[in-house]
């Protein structure tokens, strides 16, 4: 998977369905040659993410970095020229 595909997926542009298929679909991971233990681990992680388990941003983060956190889509948009 190229950085361009990841960025377009992260920002909601064309390519999102491809990213979702590659990252969430166990058959796709196997087809891409991923070892079975990694397929199982990624599938579990993707289920947690899809259920919103990674969506929370704790207030500690802002205190640690000294500013409001940046959403990934905004980060990807801001740095898109470096990834394409």
């Amino acid at each position: 998977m190229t950085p361009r595909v990841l960025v377009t997926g992260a920002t909601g542009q064309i390519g999102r369905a491809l990213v979702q298929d590659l990252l969430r679909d166990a058959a796709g991971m196997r087809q891409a040659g991923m070892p079975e233990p990694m397929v199982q681990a990624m599938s579990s992680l993707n289920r947690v993410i899809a259920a919103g388990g990674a969506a929370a941003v704790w207030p500690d983060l802002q205190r640690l970095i000294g500013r409001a956190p940046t959403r990934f889509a905004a980060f990807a948009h801001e740095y898109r020229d470096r990834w394409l």
Side-chain angles (χ1 to χ4, degrees), residues 45 47-57:
L45 181 59
R47 283 191 295 276
V48 169
I49 292 167
V57 177

Side-chain angles (χ1 to χ4, degrees), residues 5 8-9 20-21 38 45 47 49-50 54-56 58 63 70 84:
V5 172
T8 57
Q20 289 174 344
D21 286 347
M38 183 62 81
L45 181 59
R47 283 191 295 276
I49 292 167
W58 297 94
R63 288 194 297 272
T70 303
L84 301 176

Side-chain angles (χ1 to χ4, degrees), residues 1-2 6 9 15-16 19 25-26 28 44 50-51 55 59 63 73-74 80 83:
M1 183 172 346
T2 67
L6 286 172
R16 182 176 180 161
V19 171
D25 181 56
S44 293
R63 288 194 297 272
R80 70 188 176 281
W83 297 0

Side-chain angles (χ1 to χ4, degrees), residues 56-67 69:
V57 177
W58 297 94
D60 300 334
L61 179 60
Q62 185 166 346
R63 288 194 297 272
L64 283 170
I65 63 176
R67 61 173 174 75

